Every structure is written in C-alpha cells, then in structure tokens.
C-alpha cells in the first residue's frame, strides 16, 4: 500500500547519520542512498520533492566532486526538486556554488536536526505551492507563457513556440539550434508535453558532459560483465525513453564511431546493449540540440551527413536573449520572485538602475546567465531592492545602429523601447505611456503600427 507521507531522499554515506536522520523524519517516507548510483536510481523511481545531499560522497568523501555530480544530475532529471546540501568542506564557498548549480538551500555539519527539519519542511511547502501554481497557470492560460510553461513576450520566441506546437504531435525528429543558455531543454520538454508521448518518459542526456569512453554505455546500456565495473545489467538512456522522448543535448559532441551506432538505431529502431546479443526494439521520439555549426562539422568530416538528416527532419533556430527584446526584464522579475521566496524574502524587486542594466546588457550567457545573476543578487542583496551592483553588471553600451536609413532606425528603436517599457510595467498601458512620456492614444497607435502585443 502506497504511503500518504511526503517523500524525502537522504543522500548520506555515514550509516550512523543515516539512522539518525531517518528517525528524525518519521512523518516522511524516507528513502536512503549512500552513493551517486543509488541516489539517482531512487530519484527516478520515487521522484521525491525534497532531497538532502551530503556533498562528500564516495569515491570522493573528502571532497565535493561526487556530490556536485549528483546535484547536477538531479537538476537535469528533476529540476523542480528541492535539494538541500551539506558540506564541511569550505562550507560557505561550497554552499554558494551549490546554489548556483540549482540547490535550494544548505546546512553545515555537524547537523542540527531541528534546524535542518525547518529547512526540509519549508522546501516541501514551497514545492507544493509551485506545483499548485503550475496547475493553476495551466488551467487559467494567463500570463506571458506559451508552449505550456515558456515565459516570453517576444514575437521571436512566440514564433518558435508555435512551430514546435505544430510538429509536436508528429513523430519527426526535431533539432534545436541555439547558443548555450537559450532554453533548448525547456523547449525539448515542450515538444514532449505537447505530443502524444507526454505520459511516457522524457529522458535527457548531455553528450558533452559524459566522457567519450562512457557515452556509449550511457546511451545503449550494458550487460553484466560486459567490461570491468559492469556489476549488473543496466538500461541505457535510449531504452529508458521507450514510449517517450529522448533529448540529446550537445549532439555535435558525439564521437564519430558512436555516430554510426546511433544512425543504425535511427534506421532500425532497435538497440543492442554493450556485451549483449539481443536486439531490443525501442519506440522513442528524438529531439536533439547543439550550439555548434553542424554543417561546418559535416564539411570537416567531424559529423556524419546521413546522421544529420535523420536528426534534423525539422530544424528550429532559437534566438538569443539579446534578440528577444523585453524578455530579459520579464524573466528577471520571474526569477527574482522565485528566489526571494526561497532564499531572501526581504527582497521585493529591482532598483531602477538594476532594470536599466538588465535592459542594456547583451547577455552572452543568455537565460542561464540571467538566472544565475539574479539568484546570486537575491542572496547577496542587503536591502529590499536588488541594485545593478548586486547584479555585478558592467556599464551597458547602447546598441549600435546597423542601418543608415533613418526611418528604419527609428522604427527599430521605437519597437525596442516600447517592448522594454511594456516588460517593466507588466503590460499596463497607462504606466507604459507615462514611462514613455506619451499619451495613451499615441501608445495605442504605436502598438498597432508596429504590431506589438501587450
């Protein structure tokens, strides 16, 4: 019989502390894991809303390497999980680094059970609230969201979302092209959620993050005894995605020998695990992404042309954050609200200089850079308003006008300024007109002239 208690995953290699924590959380359905493999297996099987994670795990109990690897994988597989990290290894530096990697909060060893209990319960409450908000948002259809959960007010991204919605219910493979941090995985999940496979698994693998000698095993799995260390039969990512969607991030980093094997799977829709002889049929939809120029790689012989055409039946190009006018301010406000609730409730918004800096910055790291800067600023802010200094942004340079035609330059400038103003005022016409120094009728005329949406 399933337990009605909320699930709590404790990742800790000290057996004494395992027992102590399990006893302390008798009102939770506690799952214990002592290493990376068992932690990730428990995450997949149980989907706990909250995880406590000791960064010092074997085989690196005196460091944090293994702990951060677990954190990164949790954030990749279940990004809404609230992870609370513990470390005695340079506690503050490790804690801030963990938060940048997506952790919810941190605590220091030796463990204060009462203090940790408060953090765990706060994390659980926040997870429940976020779940309720997501449900309400999906029912109401309100807000600047498209494709289920993509937050944007930029026509460029709305066009991307509409393209994805049109192809989602087909079985064509989709290739997402865009710079790092533009939201490729979020869009890949959008493909999955809008498709008939949404009840199946969404399995993501970052092909650039896994050593070349391990990538084949991660993708195709292996049989027990196939190589040194293969102590049990393990399903690969492709097999786990049966009935669902497989997302191959940074597909351009797949080595040539493995490209051949991936192409064979795409042609035959069967796999063989390493060390196995049995053909296993797999029905999965492929979505892939890369920031690399695959056509140049094909010309250089570093990427197979036949594989490219199998993966790129539909190609979607994702604009950078700098090309999505107004989105930086809109997203910054969303991130600030989320992180303030989690980590610093005293923070209520941005100071004017911060909004100006956000508007003017080029955001080379795209949405990921924006999210990290806002998160760090919320943590470090001393007052109620986040300043430009808290964001650590340099002086933003005005965009150079790349056209000499005055009418075109004026239109381009007007569009940009109006979008920024709408983003700052959250679409309020009266406030936007006041900010721009024009009347409401004039603003309505401009919105109609430039085909801008509030």
């Amino acid at each position: 019989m399933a337990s009605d208690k909320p699930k709590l995953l404790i990742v800790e290699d000290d057996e004494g502390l395992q027992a102590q924590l399990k006893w302390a959380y008798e009102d939770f359905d506690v799952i214990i894991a002592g290493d990376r493999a068992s932690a990730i297996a428990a995450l997949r099987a149980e989907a706990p809303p909250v995880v406590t994670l000791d960064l010092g795990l074997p085989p690196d109990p005196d460091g944090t390497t293994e702990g951060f690897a677990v954190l990164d994988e949790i954030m990749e597989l279940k990004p809404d999980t609230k992870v609370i990290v513990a470390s005695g290894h340079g506690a503050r530096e490790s804690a801030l680094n963990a938060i940048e990697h997506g952790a919810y909060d941190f605590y220091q060893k030796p463990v204060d059970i009462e203090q940790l209990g408060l953090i765990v319960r706060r994390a659980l409450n926040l997870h429940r609230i976020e779940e309720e908000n997501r449900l309400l948002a999906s029912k109401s259809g309100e807000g600047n969201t498209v494709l289920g959960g993509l937050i944007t007010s930029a026509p460029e991204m709305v066009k991307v979302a509409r393209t994805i919605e049109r192809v989602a219910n087909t079985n064509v493979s989709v290739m997402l092209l865009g710079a790092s941090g533009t939201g490729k995985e979020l869009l890949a999940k959008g493909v999955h959620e809008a498709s008939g496979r949404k009840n199946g698994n969404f399995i993501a693998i970052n092909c650039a993050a896994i050593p070349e000698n391990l990538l084949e095993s991660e993708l195709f799995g292996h049989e027990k005894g196939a190589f040194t260390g293969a102590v049990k039969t393990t399903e690969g990512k492709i097999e786990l995605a049966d009935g669902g969607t497989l997302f191959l991030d940074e597909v351009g980093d797949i080595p040539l020998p493995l490209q051949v094997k991936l192409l064979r799977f795409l042609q035959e829709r069967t796999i063989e695990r390493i060390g196995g002889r049995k053909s296993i049929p797999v029905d999965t939809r492929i979505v892939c992404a890369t920031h690399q120029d695959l056509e140049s790689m094909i010309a250089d012989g570093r990427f197979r042309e036949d594989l490219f055409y199998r993966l790129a039946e539909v190609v979607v190009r994702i604009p950078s954050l700098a090309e999505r006018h107004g989105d930086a301010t809109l997203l910054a406000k969303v991130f600030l609200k989320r992180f303030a609730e989690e980590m610093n409730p005293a923070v209520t918004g941005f100071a004017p200089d911060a909004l100006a800096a956000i508007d003017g910055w080029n955001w080379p790291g795209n949405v990921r850079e924006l999210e990290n800067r806002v998160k760090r600023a919320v943590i470090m802010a001393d007052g109620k308003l986040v300043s430009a200094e808290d964001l650590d942004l340099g002086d933003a340079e005005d965009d150079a006008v790349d056209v000499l035609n005055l009418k075109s330059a004026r239109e381009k400038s007007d569009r940009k300024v109006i979008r920024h103003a709408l983003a700052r005022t959250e679409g309020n016409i009266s406030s936007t007109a006041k900010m721009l120094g024009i009347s409401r009728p004039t603003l309505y005329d401009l919105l109609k002239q430039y085909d801008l949406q509030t």
Side-chain angles (χ1 to χ4, degrees):
M1 183 178 177
S3 172
D4 292 331
K5 296 178 181 179
K7 293 178 180 179
L8 171 65
L9 172 59
I10 295 173
V11 186
E12 169 63 59
D13 63 325
D14 184 319
E15 293 183 359
L17 190 51
Q18 286 178 359
Q20 184 183 7
L21 291 172
K22 188 167 186 176
W23 172 82
Y25 297 114
E26 58 183 11
D27 50 345
F28 284 80
D29 181 4
V30 176
I31 306 126
I32 301 289
D35 55 39
R36 179 181 178 184
S38 56
I40 298 306
L43 181 82
R44 286 194 172 112
E46 304 292 343
V50 182
V51 176
T52 66
L53 170 63
D54 181 6
L55 292 178
L57 293 174
D60 183 31
D62 296 322
T64 59
T65 305
E66 191 70 3
F68 273 106
V70 174
L71 174 59
D72 288 341
E73 194 158 357
I74 291 174
M75 289 297 97
E76 181 181 348
L77 293 171
K78 301 282 185 181
D80 58 334
T81 306
K82 304 303 175 192
V83 182
I84 306 162
V85 299
S87 176
H89 310 281
R92 181 170 176 78
E93 182 181 349
S94 293
L96 292 177
N97 194 13
I99 287 171
E100 288 186 357
H101 281 244
Y104 162 72
D105 208 338
F106 63 91
Y107 65 99
Q108 296 182 8
K109 287 189 171 183
V111 177
D112 182 324
I113 295 294
E114 187 174 346
Q115 182 185 25
L116 179 57
L118 290 173
I119 298 173
V120 167
R121 285 169 177 80
R122 190 170 70 234
L124 178 62
N125 286 334
L126 180 62
H127 188 276
R128 284 172 172 165
I129 290 169
E130 289 178 349
E131 283 289 302
E132 290 171 2
N133 287 343
R134 277 192 287 270
L135 180 61
L136 288 172
S138 67
K139 288 181 177 179
S140 68
E142 296 175 353
N144 294 297
T145 59
V146 293
L147 201 64
L150 180 68
I151 300 169
T152 184
S153 63
E156 300 87 351
M157 282 303 288
V158 173
K159 183 179 179 181
V160 167
R162 297 295 173 252
T163 300
I164 288 174
E165 287 171 347
R166 282 196 293 271
V167 303
N169 265 323
T170 70
N171 270 321
V172 297
S173 58
V174 177
M175 178 170 286
L176 305 172
L177 299 180
S180 295
T182 48
K184 295 190 288 292
E185 183 165 353
L186 183 62
L187 289 169
K189 287 180 180 176
V191 175
H192 176 71
E193 292 297 329
S195 75
R197 297 174 176 270
K198 63 183 179 181
N199 294 324
N201 289 333
F202 175 84
I203 302 295
I205 181 168
N206 188 330
C207 301
I210 300 172
E212 185 175 329
N213 61 328
L214 298 178
L215 185 56
E216 182 178 1
S217 176
E218 282 289 314
L219 280 171
F220 292 91
H222 60 260
E223 298 288 346
K224 180 179 179 180
F227 49 82
T228 304
V231 295
K232 63 177 182 178
T233 296
T234 301
E235 295 178 337
K237 300 281 190 179
I238 295 175
E239 198 171 343
L240 289 170
D242 186 30
T245 303
L246 176 68
F247 175 50
L248 300 173
D249 198 4
E250 298 303 345
V251 71
D253 286 85
I254 295 180
L256 278 169
L258 194 51
Q259 289 180 29
V260 176
K261 192 167 182 178
L262 180 59
L263 177 63
R264 188 180 307 121
F265 161 67
L266 293 173
Q267 291 170 336
E268 300 174 2
R269 295 292 169 169
T270 62
I271 63 163
E272 287 184 9
R273 298 180 189 139
I274 297 175
R277 297 182 179 179
K278 177 184 174 184
S279 290
I280 303 170
V282 178
D283 172 27
T284 185
R285 202 267 188 77
I286 304 293
V287 180
C288 63
T290 183
H291 71 281
Q292 300 191 60
D293 184 348
L294 291 186
E295 291 181 357
S296 295
M297 293 179 67
I298 290 169
D300 295 340
R302 291 179 291 134
F303 199 88
R304 293 183 62 99
E305 186 175 19
D306 46 5
L307 177 59
F308 173 81
Y309 287 115
R310 284 279 183 176
L311 294 172
E313 291 177 313
V314 172
V315 176
V316 180
R317 300 185 185 277
I318 306 168
S320 67
L321 184 55
E323 296 170 313
R324 293 148 55 177
H325 299 306
D327 270 10
T329 302
L330 177 65
L331 288 166
K333 289 181 177 180
V334 172
F335 292 145
L336 181 137
K337 183 179 179 182
R338 181 199 307 168
F339 298 136
E341 288 174 352
E342 294 180 11
M343 294 172 286
N344 191 352
V347 173
T348 59
F350 291 103
D353 67 335
L355 289 173
I358 290 169
D359 278 347
W361 195 246
N362 277 331
W363 299 110
N366 292 292
V367 179
R368 188 177 296 121
E369 178 191 358
L370 173 63
E371 183 176 11
N372 288 341
R373 283 187 184 273
V374 173
K375 181 185 288 186
R376 187 165 58 245
V378 168
I379 295 169
M380 304 305 294
D382 293 324
K384 290 184 177 181
L385 299 179
V386 167
S387 67
E389 184 179 355
D390 293 327
L391 290 166
D392 192 26
L393 292 176
D395 294 331
E397 298 181 0
D398 292 335
D399 290 339
V401 177
D402 56 1
V403 290
L404 295 179
N405 181 279
L406 284 175
K407 185 174 183 292
S408 297
R410 171 67 184 273
E411 289 182 2
K412 179 179 178 181
S413 177
D414 283 356
R415 285 176 181 273
K416 182 175 180 181
V417 171
I418 292 170
R419 284 177 184 164
H420 284 327
L422 285 168
R424 285 202 194 184
T425 63
E426 298 179 356
N428 184 288
I429 293 295
S430 296
S431 298
T432 301
K434 186 177 180 180
M435 181 179 290
L436 293 171
I438 58 178
S439 67
R440 287 178 60 184
T442 299
L443 177 57
Y444 278 120
D445 286 343
L446 290 170
L447 292 174
K448 184 177 181 181
Q449 178 183 341
Y450 297 134
D451 193 25
L452 297 174
Q453 302 295 319
T454 58

